[in-house]
Amino acid sequence: MFPLGQDFDATSWASLEPVTNELISREINSTDELEVFFSDISDMAEHVSEAGAKLYIGMTCDTESEEKQADFLEFVENIRPKMSEISNQLDLKIINLDYLEQLPERYDLIIRSMKNSIELFREENIPLSVQCTKLSTEYQKIVGAMTVEFQGEEYTLPQMRRFLESNDREVRREAWILVRERRMQDSQRITEILDELIELRHKIALNAGFENYRDYAFRSMERFDYTPADCYEFHKSVETHCMPVIHTINDNRLIGFGYNKLRPWDVNEKSGDSPDVQGRGALVPFEDVSELVSLTSEVFHRLSSELGGMFDRLVDGEVLDLDSRKGKAPGGYQYNLEKTGLPFIFMNASGQQGDVETMIHEAGHAFHSMYCSDLRLIQERNYPIEFAEVASMSMELLTQPHWGVFYEDAEECRRAKRMHLESVIGLLAWICRVDAFQHWMYENPSHTHRERSEYWLKLRSRFGPRTDWNGFEEDESLFWQTQGHLFGAPFYYIEYGIAQLGALQIWAKQSIDPQGALSDYKAAMMLGNTRSLPDLFQAADIKLGFDEHHIGSLVDKINSALVSL
Ligand SMILES: [Zn+2]
């Protein structure tokens, strides 16, 4: 039966069922047989993963095809739940084998992960999780259905972004108020959804023997290497070191714009971005997708011939779908094809600086999966998100010295770099605000709506830009409602902050030892998921830490780069 052939159809239960039955009933009589068992399970998981990836890619590249959508949904609703049940059964089977103790060290993390999910598993939590999923789907539906009428036309909220970023202050103000009014119409229900989610999640945690959902979430997300106390330290360090930089950036904007105060439509509450102070139009780094590809290739070749070659392999492998066109889903992602061994990159490029950053970011993810593609088991390649984003975020920073490829005009190039570095700082503050909010909510699950608002505003005074929300106080106290992670992916957010700290250290090393920075990057990425998070950081010669001194020195580096630009 194993290895499964290239033509094995993992989208069909009829072909999967005999394979899973054989695995479940197989007798294992030695450590060698157990290793073969791991390898066969991985073989099957690779097929299932690639089948799901191809269906998802097919659907997002062609949203108008009802057939592709139906195929994907069929897979999600019928194959995935069955496979997760099977995987639970296989974990239980493995965990009870005596041979487990004799496995070589490279299985340690895989076994830790299996034991963890078995320890957390409670039958009575399944229906509660289903209810949580339903509530977060309701949130998505409510937000997705929001539209406003602006200048005689109907727009979705993501479409309103271009008016919110307009150089015309009056257009921004009008657009911002319209969007806020629309959001406030559903704010009552969204508040209730979060109430219900907190209650359900608290129950899930109690059922699994935890004091609160925060502690449960840390365990279920396999955060073995950092604690809530580390997160608090992270918040404090960002408050001390990032906020003065953010306030200075905004003070300069205030002078540049010539306003008497900054209003919420002048500075983006989340990213900290603002329109160009000099009223210049958007940057135009490339004309079309073929130019984006050739210029990105040149950037990577200038950074290193190895990375340039790896990027070209993606281009030749036809695993890029980059242009924005009708019938394509929004956003960008990188998806590993576990069987083929190639990553797929999806995005909607339309000629903006943000597209350059997305292309480079997703290429960084692709390099990571290419570097560790020789690791045998799928679990060995399933690296933690805190480190996956180091791979992508550090590429954004490491390529900066070569962004001139996209800009003939030196000032335009400086502007692109400045905007990117400012958003790195701005985003760290927003990440800490969202994270601190979640810690507090789940540690105090019986809080009132008023207390929630008050706590949010307290965090805003610690981590927010000093914009004046006079006249929009209720909007200000409910602005957390715009952050979808609070509903669908609780506690999942600080990972990006942790990864950014890693990326900044690799970038800092580049200025002293450019070759060393790249070889550390490679050495760490090749390890995939075979080392703990601190060991992966160490392999990249960077530190996993949150103290003020450490974060202060990274912020100083950004600040001096900003000054020199
Ligand atoms: Zn990413």
Side-chain angles (χ1 to χ4, degrees), residues 361-362 365 385 388-389 392-393 496:
H361 179 101
E362 302 304 341
H365 283 308
I385 187 86
E389 294 298 328
S392 53
M393 287 171 152
Y496 290 92

Side-chain angles (χ1 to χ4, degrees), residues 310-370:
M310 286 165 80
F311 184 78
D312 293 344
R313 262 164 58 205
L314 295 175
V315 179
D316 297 339
E318 293 178 15
V319 286
L320 309 175
D321 190 322
L322 309 176
D323 58 326
S324 180
R325 58 168 192 273
K326 194 169 172 285
K328 197 170 155 182
Y333 63 81
Q334 188 265 155
Y335 214 140
N336 284 342
L337 299 173
E338 296 288 354
K339 208 73 227 173
T340 315
L342 267 183
F344 181 87
I345 297 179
F346 174 99
M347 64 182 279
N348 281 278
S350 59
Q352 291 160 18
Q353 170 58 24
D355 298 330
V356 169
E357 288 164 29
T358 304
M359 175 83 265
I360 291 168
H361 179 101
E362 302 304 341
H365 283 308
F367 297 154
H368 196 180
S369 56
M370 290 160 97

Side-chain angles (χ1 to χ4, degrees), residues 181-422:
E181 280 173 354
R182 179 62 193 86
R183 284 192 178 274
M184 291 307 277
Q185 281 173 25
D186 288 311
S187 70
Q188 185 56 38
R189 179 58 198 145
I190 291 178
T191 291
E192 287 164 11
I193 289 177
L194 190 63
D195 294 346
E196 291 166 36
L197 281 169
I198 291 172
E199 202 186 320
L200 284 165
R201 287 170 180 158
H202 189 63
K203 251 188 230 161
I204 288 176
L206 296 184
N207 286 344
F210 288 83
E211 213 170 284
N212 59 54
Y213 183 74
R214 193 268 317 271
D215 294 348
Y216 171 86
F218 265 63
R219 269 292 296 282
S220 75
M221 299 169 99
E222 306 196 351
R223 293 178 176 178
F224 299 115
D225 306 298
Y226 59 98
T227 63
D230 290 324
C231 295
Y232 292 139
E233 190 181 28
F234 191 178
H235 307 158
K236 187 83 193 60
S237 301
V238 164
E239 183 182 8
T240 309
H241 292 284
C242 290
M243 295 320 293
V245 179
I246 290 174
H247 295 321
T248 304
I249 291 171
N250 284 328
D251 289 346
N252 291 334
R253 284 173 178 159
L254 188 63
I255 297 165
F257 281 127
Y259 304 154
N260 59 357
K261 52 181 113 168
L262 290 171
R263 301 285 278 157
W265 44 87
D266 297 322
V267 177
N268 184 305
E269 184 74 10
K270 293 187 186 182
S271 64
D273 295 343
S274 85
D276 188 56
V277 178
Q278 296 171 37
R280 291 170 292 189
L283 293 164
V284 187
F286 61 93
E287 290 295 333
D288 54 25
V289 160
S290 70
E291 198 181 14
L292 172 65
V293 169
S294 63
L295 296 180
T296 306
S297 168
E298 192 178 337
V299 165
F300 282 124
H301 275 284
R302 287 189 188 194
L303 180 62
S304 107
S305 56
E306 179 167 300
L307 292 177
M310 286 165 80
F311 184 78
D312 293 344
R313 262 164 58 205
L314 295 175
V315 179
D316 297 339
E318 293 178 15
V319 286
L320 309 175
D321 190 322
L322 309 176
D323 58 326
S324 180
R325 58 168 192 273
K326 194 169 172 285
K328 197 170 155 182
Y333 63 81
Q334 188 265 155
Y335 214 140
N336 284 342
L337 299 173
E338 296 288 354
K339 208 73 227 173
T340 315
L342 267 183
F344 181 87
I345 297 179
F346 174 99
M347 64 182 279
N348 281 278
S350 59
Q352 291 160 18
Q353 170 58 24
D355 298 330
V356 169
E357 288 164 29
T358 304
M359 175 83 265
I360 291 168
H361 179 101
E362 302 304 341
H365 283 308
F367 297 154
H368 196 180
S369 56
M370 290 160 97
Y371 272 139
C372 71
S373 64
D374 284 342
L375 294 168
R376 219 181 61 206
L377 302 175
I378 192 168
Q379 295 107 311
E380 292 177 294
R381 304 190 297 265
N382 188 15
Y383 31 72
I385 187 86
E386 291 90 343
F387 205 69
E389 294 298 328
V390 173
S392 53
M393 287 171 152
S394 55
M395 276 302 138
E396 294 176 33
L397 292 158
L398 295 180
T399 53
Q400 269 211 10
H402 310 292
W403 284 8
V405 166
F406 288 101
Y407 297 100
E408 277 174 22
D409 182 313
E411 170 49 23
E412 297 229 309
C413 188
R414 282 197 295 273
R415 197 177 142 203
K417 292 179 187 175
R418 215 161 36 227
M419 280 164 55
H420 179 244
L421 292 175
E422 283 175 1

